[in-house]
């Protein structure tokens, strides 16, 4: 089934997602704040129309997909003076937010959209740039089953797995939780390897053992061997975004009035790492702050 | 090469290790504090001599292997009044401590043994009861390469992987670090699943997504699906021991004068969980304290 | 200047505050959820009218004062079905919220009231029951200077000190911060005294030294000598409320996107203590959880 | 009673302590690693002999007092090659260690000294440079009552208060606990003031209220008004030393196998602040790291 899709936000993840939508035969319009990223995008090369504004992008679309840094950016697009994107959305449109956002803001956006007859689902993705390019992203969806069903033909063009998580905001909550775990595992593995190294165990040996034992994680099995021990630290996912996600998870936990010492620690450590290492640092570079405080480097 | 081996400590892990040593053709003597566990052991059934005391156990042995709850137990066996195990060790013996112990105590033990001409290696194992029974344990060795080489024929009877980590204490340090990571991952995954659940995501859906994403760990991939969501919580490794191990890792980190907020948190949380849930609780039952504080249960 | 005042919430702090208002000559109406606390109050005894509902209470009042457990209770009073208190407020009324509330909810309430021409200030108090009875409370005010000036004649009847903190919400923020510090100082002092005690220093000696040294706080100088070492633990301020306040401070900190490990820890520890010790426990009883985990009691 | 006293370690605290001993009429020999601090000291000016080595210093002394950065420095002085201070101590001497040291090392030192017939007490002081110059220090003593009685005539020359805490190590433990509380209160007050400031409350107003309320501490009542809000940050007590003390308290707590999240946090935060701010920073400058992470300054 061919859809008329507007895609807003052609970042490292959004650009290949949009390209998949175009290749799947949907009628596609793209928009990006920096227009050059839109005109030079693979989607545009494959025939997508490049919109001149968010309001222009969504005209005539049956599905609007956003993939922006955070929920406040989505809210800003909808309500910005002169952009009038909210006003440009026609009743019956489906709004799919692939941003790694926060549930509270999404629920407010959903209410604003509902008042105009527009359905909303949050649909953050995991899988990174590699998954986006391969079209194998995992999509975590919050919203009604009916809305998800309407979105499926679009989502399937870039997804390997689509999971209905719950009501509006549930997708964002799960994405934030996943990323908070990632954050804490990166940090704790770094602390552990530093302790082992100072006790005389090389990082390679330590990882070799941990990865054959119970302390292993995605961080120890993939990130440390490929990125830390090699010193490569490729910039694939910004620490600033992991900081934001860990902060969302911690904030949800605080709002639920539970005890959440581990999630709170993850949020504070990512916040500090982001502040100390800067906006351009990759998320795995948080390890460098552990190293700085330890006075050693975890290299092979 | 057949060795004369004394094995002290026939707990859940030690008993199958001793049985493998007997099956491998070594001349074996076993001892256990509760003598019934020795007389009723698989090793005894296969022909091992049951010693009447630690001192009796080590007489004539070329290799002495200990597998006890903690390093202080090893020190107590060596120095206990009337046991005289230290005095019963002949120069040239190799002492292999498979306890999940602490480096400081092991270095003191090693020095005491060295004064009697006895070599020491620390050789804690990972792999759990399943690995012990299958003879596929990972052994983390601290000590000289020469001492490790002498121990290999014994270790190989129950090991799938033998790793030389460094000097005396390095094996203990790495084991403690691995288990501290395990502890923190169990706890953080529980916190994360609680947050997701309160946001409307069932634990199954949350684990399904996390295990396809970057936040996965051994805890999320194996322990939660098999033990938590099922409510099975089999008692395979006591929380009291994980508490001890996390405490060792935190203590090493503190002694190294590094910053180690994640390891310290792991130690305090395991300590609290152990205190609240009791000596018999399994390590995965730490999740129950997260659940108690959250007012929800992570069951399918 | 005599005012017509409605006072809603005659708890341990609110009841003596209302009594002071009556004694100061203001025309007073009181309301409490449990009506017996209103009819039996000192304010009623001194001539205050007892209202039958919140809407009844505020009729004709020029100043409405609330003193409730938390901001959501204030919002509920205003908006509850059938209570119609919001509708009963006439334009020009001044709404003074003495609840230890949270800034976000207060800003929403203030906006709702502003739409009806009603000014709002948040005015939480410190000083406890003793300060409330003595009429020497410290009042922390958020709102405009003009609104504060209108409230002064009422506030002065129970205040020893009135401080203009900033815009709406600033009073709540500062109250939450003060109480989070109180919470952390109670807990940290307990941890420290336990460590000293296990090192052989009696709590009296330890407090004697700390209170002559740099580690002293209101907790060590007043709460521990009077309430902990004596075992008295009088119930003057519920742990449930300190938990709420520490949670507000932590939540504000998280929302400001700062790093706040100490405030987050305070919130999680108070949350846990509240959960473990129950709704009726006094705030200083948090010490009992430290003692439980330590296996010692800090008594003289 | 006039004593023959050797005083080793003429730092910011030690120098005025030694001067008081000389003024009190004791026969005094002083030593300092940097000899110029000894020759130029007030004690030397008042007639104290300047020793050429630790061994030279203690010859003929009935009381030896050390005031060094940490316990390992005391151990090093005693055992250093060629210094032979341990050998120079005659049986019957009393060794008084005013270092802010750690109990474990002190117990080892005490055992070594006991083997030579030398008694040991730990006697760390609080009161800072001001208290040292005024001769009003609080001295926390660990050791036997008899040894303390022998030390009194010396201690009284610089003490305002002498407290017998318990066995050897008890003085160190209590000093470490006091300083860990100081550390945590400085940090938590900074976090709290930052939150209040971002909520619109100036640091002066916030401190004014907190210091009239339950969240006050020595930090809020003295350090912040005098040193932080003024921007003065005088260098009176190095952050490096507070880091060491908080680390000692955390290490004792860990060794006692209690749960000590607040003390562990204090230790990690001071460690990080020391690493980030350098060896020369004053302890109150830890506030600058909170400010750096918050992007605001707490100045009037």
């Amino acid at each position: 089934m061919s859809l008329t899709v507007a895609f807003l936000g052609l970042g490292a993840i959004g650009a290949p997602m949009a390209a998949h939508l175009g290749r799947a035969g949907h009628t596609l319009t793209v928009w990006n704040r920096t227009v050059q990223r839109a005109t030079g995008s693979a989607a545009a090369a494959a025939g997508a129309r490049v919109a001149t504004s968010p309001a222009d992008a969504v005209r005539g679309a049956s599905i609007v997909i956003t993939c922006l840094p955070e929920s406040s950016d989505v809210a800003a697009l909808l309500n910005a003076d002169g952009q009038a994107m909210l006003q440009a959305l026609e009743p019956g449109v489906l709004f799919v937010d692939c941003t790694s956002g926060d549930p509270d803001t999404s629920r407010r956006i959903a209410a604003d959209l509902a008042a105009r007859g527009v359905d909303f689902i949050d649909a953050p993705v995991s899988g990174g740039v590699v998954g986006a390019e391969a079209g194998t992203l995992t999509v975590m969806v919050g919203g009604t089953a009916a809305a998800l069903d309407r979105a499926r033909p679009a989502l399937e063009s870039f997804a390997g797995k689509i999971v209905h998580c719950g009501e509006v905001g549930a997708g964002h909550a799960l994405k934030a939780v996943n990323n908070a775990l990632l954050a804490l595992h990166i940090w704790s593995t770094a602390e552990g390897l530093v302790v082992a190294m100072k006790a005389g165990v090389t990082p390679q040996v330590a990882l070799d053992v941990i990865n054959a034992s119970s302390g292993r994680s995605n961080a120890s099995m993939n990130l440390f061997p490929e990125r830390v021990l090699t010193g490569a630290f490729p910039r694939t996912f910004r620490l600033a975004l992991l900081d934001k996600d860990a902060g969302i998870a911690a904030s949800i936990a605080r709002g639920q009035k539970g005890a959440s010492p581990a999630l709170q620690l993850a949020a504070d450590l990512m916040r500090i790492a982001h502040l100390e290492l800067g906006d351009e640092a990759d998320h795995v570079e948080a390890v460098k702050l552990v190293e700085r405080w330890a006075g050693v480097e975890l290299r092979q």
Side-chain angles (χ1 to χ4, degrees), chain A:
Chain A
M1 188 178 72
S2 178
L3 303 163
T4 307
V5 180
F7 196 102
L8 299 95
L10 301 168
I13 303 290
M17 288 167 70
H20 281 293
L21 280 161
R23 280 197 288 271
H26 300 300
T27 304
L28 184 66
T29 302
V30 296
W31 176 86
N32 194 69
R33 187 172 303 275
T34 309
V35 71
Q36 290 85 341
R37 282 191 67 89
T39 51
S41 68
R49 179 172 77 88
V50 176
T52 57
S53 73
D56 175 44
V58 305
R59 267 189 210 103
S62 60
I63 297 197
V64 173
I65 304 181
T66 44
C67 192
L68 298 170
E70 50 186 286
S71 286
S72 62
D73 297 310
V74 180
L77 271 201
L78 284 164
N79 301 305
D81 287 345
Q83 301 264 7
M85 180 165 120
L86 183 60
Q87 282 70 31
L89 292 169
E90 286 171 34
V93 164
L94 174 63
F95 196 103
V96 177
D97 184 19
C98 293
T99 300
S100 290
D102 66 275
D104 275 358
T105 306
S106 285
R107 279 187 285 262
R108 281 198 290 274
I109 290 172
D112 288 349
L113 292 173
R116 295 190 61 82
V118 172
D119 272 347
F120 174 94
I121 62 173
D122 47 306
V125 300
S126 79
V129 172
V130 170
E133 288 176 347
T136 59
L137 293 167
T138 296
V139 188
M140 308 165 209
V141 178
T144 65
L148 169 53
D149 283 342
R150 287 175 59 203
R152 264 183 214 283
L155 301 179
E156 281 167 352
S157 70
F158 51 73
K161 185 183 183 98
I162 299 171
V163 183
H164 188 200
C165 297
E167 309 276 298
V168 166
H172 284 331
L174 183 53
K175 178 69 195 289
V177 162
N178 177 77
N179 281 14
L181 294 180
L182 168 64
L184 194 59
H185 298 174
I186 290 173
W187 188 278
S188 60
T189 302
E191 278 193 19
L193 292 180
V194 160
V195 165
M197 192 173 170
K198 290 186 170 184
V201 190
T202 68
Q204 292 102 308
V205 167
L207 278 176
D208 182 36
V209 168
I210 289 167
N211 286 336
S213 303
S214 52
R216 71 185 183 278
S217 64
N218 172 55
S220 70
M221 299 195 75
N222 296 299
L223 301 178
F224 276 77
E226 294 166 11
R227 300 176 173 214
V228 178
L229 267 66
T230 59
F233 291 106
R235 295 191 156 176
T236 61
F237 175 52
R238 289 195 300 127
L239 178 56
L241 294 174
L242 189 59
D243 166 25
K244 179 209 58 174
D245 293 338
I248 291 171
S251 191
I252 299 172
R254 188 61 74 216
Q256 290 173 346
K257 302 196 188 304
S260 50
L263 293 177
Q264 301 302 329
L265 182 68
D268 277 321
L269 292 173
M270 287 307 109
R271 186 74 197 134
I272 292 167
H274 174 191
L275 287 164
E276 291 290 336
L277 300 169
D279 268 355
E280 297 311 313
D282 183 72
H283 69 302
V284 181
E285 291 183 78
V287 172
K288 292 183 177 175
L289 191 57
V290 180
E291 294 176 334
R292 179 165 112 194
W293 290 343
V296 299
E297 289 197 344
L298 300 167
R299 300 291 176 279
Q300 61 208 3

